[in-house]
Amino acid sequence: MDRPLVDKTLRVLVVDDLGVMRLLVRNNLRTMGIENVMLAANGREALEMLQKWRFDFVVTDWNMPLMDGLELLKHIRASTTYRHIPV
C-alpha cells in the first residue's frame, strides 16, 4: 500500500496581507492533502494565533503591514515555545 506523500494531520499557518494569496496558498496546500490550514492577515495576528493553537509549519509573506514576515520570524525564533516550527 502506498503511503501518502504528505502527513494529513499537519497544521499550517498561512500569513499574508492579501486575502487572495492566503486563499491561493491554502488551496494549494489542500490539493497536497493538508486540510488543517489557518489564515492570518499579518504578523501580529499570526503571533496571537500561535499563542492559541499548535502549528507544525508557518508560510509567511515578507512584506505586510503592522508586522512583516521578518519581524514575525524573529519573534518565532526568539520564543522557546515556537522556535522549533519551520517557517
Side-chain angles (χ1 to χ4, degrees):
M1 184 160 124
D2 290 330
R3 290 179 37 198
L5 295 175
V6 175
D7 181 354
K8 293 186 179 207
T9 64
L10 284 176
R11 295 181 53 90
V12 179
L13 176 59
V14 175
V15 189
D16 198 305
D17 57 321
L18 296 175
V20 172
M21 288 305 295
R22 289 191 303 269
L23 295 177
L24 180 67
V25 173
R26 182 195 65 193
N27 290 342
N28 284 333
L29 290 167
R30 285 185 174 171
T31 299
M32 293 187 303
I34 300 171
E35 294 291 330
N36 297 318
V37 180
M38 295 186 75
L39 309 174
N42 58 63
R44 284 186 192 167
E45 189 176 314
L47 283 178
E48 290 174 9
M49 294 174 79
L50 282 163
Q51 292 171 357
K52 293 180 185 177
W53 295 287
R54 179 190 63 80
F55 293 98
D56 300 301
F57 200 86
V58 175
V59 178
T60 185
D61 185 17
W62 201 251
N63 289 318
M64 296 178 289
L66 303 179
M67 180 185 290
D68 64 27
L70 180 58
E71 288 179 84
L72 173 60
L73 178 61
K74 287 178 180 179
H75 280 281
I76 290 171
R77 291 296 172 253
S79 167
T80 56
T81 306
Y82 320 123
R83 71 170 47 140
H84 70 280
I85 301 173
V87 178

